[in-house]
Amino acid sequence: MTSYLCAIGTATPPHRIAQPQIASFMAQALQFDDDNARRLRALYRVTGIGHRYSVLPDYARENGDFTFFPNTPGLEPFPGVGQRMAVYREHALPLSVAAAQNCLRQLPEVTMDSITHLVTVSCTGMYAPGLDIELVQALGLPSNIRRTCVNFMGCYAAFNALKLAEAFCQADAQARVLIVCTELCTIHFQKNPEDDHLVSNALFGDGSAAALVQAVPARSGPSLALAAFHCGLEPDGHADMAWHINDFGFEMTLSSYVPRMIQKGIRKLTEDLLQNLPVQLRDIHSFAIHPGGRKILETIEKELGMSPEDNRFAYQVLREYGNMSSATVLFVLRELLASLTPADAGAPVLSFAFGPGLTLEAMLLQVQYA
């Protein structure tokens, strides 16, 4: 039984901040001298990111006007985990509700009481009773809805949520699964001058994406059939992408070797995904790749013989939002869905995402048009 991704909705916080503004904040927060500040601004320029969104206005402000970080030299005392989780609890729900409502407005035939499963995804905040229960109450979902939380898996977690949704739909042809990925990455800024932290601070933003998966296509417009999944691991990259909870928030490790690890595994990942399917790489002209960073996108293009135009949706999301962890690939898929026409019916779509492990996830979808 085939399952279908029928609609995707997104939401972002109100603070849209230009990349040069964030670079200035970081240089001041890290108390960099002029030479290090210039190098930091150069790093921010080459990311391919124009703006990012944050629940915190501080990244566009000067010390003295901060609302979350202390208005002191060096931002001391630096906010701890409890303070950051309080911000997550305040902002995650309204952002998630906005994304879910944006998704469901696209499907008039789907009522709140007809949704059977809710899957929430996040690696940037946890609490209980959690976001899943609050979403049930805020959206008016059935109290007996089947709830699943996918936590702390990082940028590839939306793939695991889609796999769960597919399994639910295969078990029950009446299943309607609402997936909500909400990430507030910017609340976890780490005041650390090491290269891994500088790169992480230059890439991540906040956002939420919601998707509706069911056993039948949408009644009108395009849907994406979930045709196949495949997961690969590159153990040599185990230490190159990691996510740990420390005393001052969640600490991201993102080394410069990650593109090399992806380069090592991406062709085999693609071959393993397609090996038992009536589709070859040369047949695929539509792509939805998680924009973990510009270098990652360029590496995949080189290895798979793609052009930047093939990767245009990923570059667009990277430029406008940065990397929003698990929500990002759904933002890319939303852009792809919006571009489809009836002439695209039957076309295959190849999608990738990457995360700690080093985990490489691949998914093949097929365009369906009602």
Side-chain angles (χ1 to χ4, degrees):
M1 183 186 299
T2 303
S3 304
Y4 299 88
L5 175 55
C6 295
I8 299 172
T10 60
T12 52
H15 307 295
R16 180 176 183 262
I17 307 171
Q19 192 76 329
Q21 285 183 287
I22 305 174
S24 295
F25 169 92
M26 294 296 174
Q28 184 185 66
L30 294 165
Q31 298 181 300
F32 276 176
D33 59 25
D34 289 345
D35 286 344
N36 282 319
R38 271 195 300 272
R39 283 193 283 270
L40 186 69
R41 292 188 180 96
L43 168 65
Y44 276 60
R45 283 196 298 272
V46 300
T47 59
I49 298 170
H51 294 83
R52 286 181 279 164
Y53 289 81
S54 177
V55 297
L56 301 176
D58 294 6
Y59 295 108
R61 296 181 175 180
E62 296 290 331
N63 196 318
D65 293 321
F66 296 157
T67 61
F68 176 70
F69 295 108
N71 289 287
T72 60
L75 309 184
E76 294 294 341
F78 204 48
V81 174
Q83 292 167 275
R84 297 173 195 253
M85 289 301 93
V87 173
Y88 183 89
R89 289 194 300 272
E90 177 184 355
H91 293 283
L93 178 63
L95 200 60
S96 301
V97 168
Q101 291 175 336
N102 181 256
C103 172
L104 297 174
R105 276 196 296 269
Q106 301 168 42
L107 301 167
E109 69 272 20
V110 176
T111 58
M112 293 297 179
D113 61 2
S114 71
I115 297 173
T116 58
H117 297 73
L118 173 65
V119 181
T120 56
V121 181
S122 188
C123 68
T124 51
M126 289 176 283
Y127 58 98
L131 181 60
D132 56 329
I133 291 176
E134 291 183 348
L135 270 173
V136 169
Q137 296 168 336
L139 292 173
L141 297 170
S143 60
N144 65 342
I145 195 170
R146 300 173 191 180
R147 296 178 282 114
T148 305
C149 302
V150 177
N151 291 328
F152 224 69
M153 298 190 81
C155 295
Y156 66 90
F159 277 58
N160 287 277
L162 289 167
K163 290 176 190 178
L164 283 169
E166 180 191 42
F168 296 149
C169 292
Q170 288 181 348
D172 179 3
Q174 304 304 312
R176 278 181 168 158
V177 186
L178 178 63
I179 297 169
V180 182
C181 301
T182 299
E183 304 289 8
L184 305 186
C185 304
T186 68
I187 67 175
H188 294 294
F189 161 55
Q190 297 297 302
K191 195 181 59 173
N192 189 318
E194 294 179 3
D195 288 348
D196 290 357
H197 292 279
L198 297 182
V199 171
S200 298
N201 292 336
L203 293 177
F204 286 93
D206 299 348
S208 180
L212 196 284
V213 177
Q214 58 186 17
V216 294
R219 289 182 184 175
S220 62
S223 300
L224 295 171
L226 304 179
F229 294 91
H230 187 78
C231 178
L233 285 173
E234 286 294 328
D236 289 347
H238 184 83
D240 292 301
M241 189 184 295
W243 192 226
H244 301 287
I245 300 176
N246 68 18
D247 292 340
F248 298 101
F250 298 177
E251 184 173 317
M252 164 64 78
T253 299
L254 185 63
S255 85
S256 60
Y257 293 103
V258 169
R260 190 181 305 175
M261 293 295 104
I262 292 173
Q263 180 182 26
K264 179 180 176 182
I266 195 67
R267 179 163 287 278
K268 184 178 187 301
L269 178 75
T270 306
E271 291 170 351
D272 290 345
L273 172 72
L274 301 179
Q275 65 179 344
N276 296 318
L277 300 173
V279 177
Q280 298 185 44
L281 181 58
R282 65 172 178 266
D283 302 321
I284 302 173
H285 305 288
S286 295
F287 298 87
I289 299 176
H290 168 70
R294 182 179 60 83
K295 185 65 174 177
I296 288 174
L297 296 178
E298 292 173 349
T299 297
I300 295 171
E301 290 165 13
K302 181 179 179 181
E303 287 301 301
L304 300 186
M306 297 169 56
S307 70
E309 176 65 16
D310 293 331
N311 235 351
R312 62 192 181 278
F313 302 119
Y315 283 115
Q316 179 180 342
V317 169
L318 182 65
R319 183 174 60 253
E320 296 179 2
Y321 305 96
N323 182 345
M324 299 166 286
S325 193
S326 69
T328 320
V329 74
L330 291 179
F331 273 69
V332 178
L333 283 164
R334 179 197 63 169
E335 297 300 327
L336 184 144
L337 266 172
S339 76
L340 297 174
T341 70
D344 296 306
V349 176
L350 183 58
S351 184
F352 298 118
F354 318 98
L358 182 81
T359 301
L360 300 92
E361 287 278 1
M363 173 173 60
L364 186 73
L365 308 103
Q366 187 180 49
V367 179
Q368 304 289 316
Y369 227 96

